Amino acid sequence: VIGVVIGKTDVRSFPDRKNIGSERYTFGFTIRDSPSYFINVTSWGREEYIRALSESFRVGDCVTIENPLVQSKEAEREEKFNPVTPSCYKLLLSENHSVVKTLSCYKMDTKLLSLLHLPVKDPQDYYSLGDITANGQSLDGRILNVLAAVMSVSQ
């Protein structure tokens, strides 16, 4: 799979249920290879492997993923902590079988780079800040998608 990284989580650790007293590490990212298709990728493993893999690329890099495990996603649980994707699947990286390679600047496809700036939600599924301000009471308690731009940053 070749795509541009459009999102990435921090490395986290969890107690290992199989080896009491030790921890497993994980991080995830989302790649996109067309305007309509993107998929979440998760990796679990030893701290050294996960940290090295996480530090090997960043958002905006084009990557090649070799030998991922393709799994059906559990929509309710998966999408609680990850971006909602149009795919019924997720990719799982294994330390022993999978490889992630960052493509050099010269090999990057400009079509892939242009995907970095496309919204991942349906354009009809957004509220503007003005709509939220005007209709705040009726929207109370609802989960909303917001499309906004940063105009300035200051202290």
Side-chain angles (χ1 to χ4, degrees):
V1 177
I2 297 174
V4 62
V5 178
I6 62 170
K8 186 175 165 189
T9 66
D10 293 330
V11 172
R12 299 181 320 253
S13 66
F14 295 93
D16 190 337
R17 291 185 209 149
K18 294 180 184 175
N19 299 316
I20 305 302
S22 63
E23 298 201 342
R24 290 182 65 197
Y25 286 77
T26 185
F27 87 103
F29 58 100
T30 305
I31 63 167
R32 185 177 217 163
D33 67 355
S34 73
S36 303
Y37 294 101
F38 46 97
I39 193 165
N40 291 321
V41 184
T42 305
S43 185
W44 288 86
R46 298 177 304 112
E47 181 178 12
E48 301 79 22
Y49 166 71
I50 295 299
R51 289 203 186 279
L53 182 58
S54 176
E55 292 168 4
S56 70
F57 61 89
R58 60 182 190 248
V59 171
D61 285 347
C62 292
V63 296
T64 301
I65 301 174
E66 298 175 2
N67 296 323
L69 177 63
V70 178
Q71 289 186 326
S72 296
K73 69 180 178 184
E74 299 168 40
E76 227 174 86
R77 194 171 69 100
E78 302 284 337
E79 294 176 349
K80 194 174 188 179
F81 303 106
N82 295 307
V84 176
T85 64
S87 174
C88 302
Y89 302 99
K90 63 181 178 179
L91 302 180
L92 199 62
L93 300 181
S94 152
E95 183 172 2
N96 297 327
H97 303 293
S98 307
V99 177
V100 178
K101 297 177 183 171
T102 304
L103 298 175
S104 74
C105 295
Y106 300 107
K107 292 183 181 178
M108 281 190 205
D109 186 341
T110 55
K111 290 178 197 165
L112 282 179
L113 290 176
S114 68
L115 300 174
L116 186 59
H117 304 291
L118 291 179
V120 293
K121 291 281 190 178
D122 178 347
Q124 306 304 315
D125 192 24
Y126 288 109
Y127 282 84
S128 70
L129 295 176
D131 290 340
I132 294 169
T133 302
N135 302 304
Q137 294 290 26
S138 65
L139 300 173
D140 189 31
R142 292 186 51 202
I143 295 174
L144 306 174
N145 295 316
V146 179
L147 181 60
V150 177
M151 290 178 55
S152 67
V153 176
S154 62
Q155 291 185 324

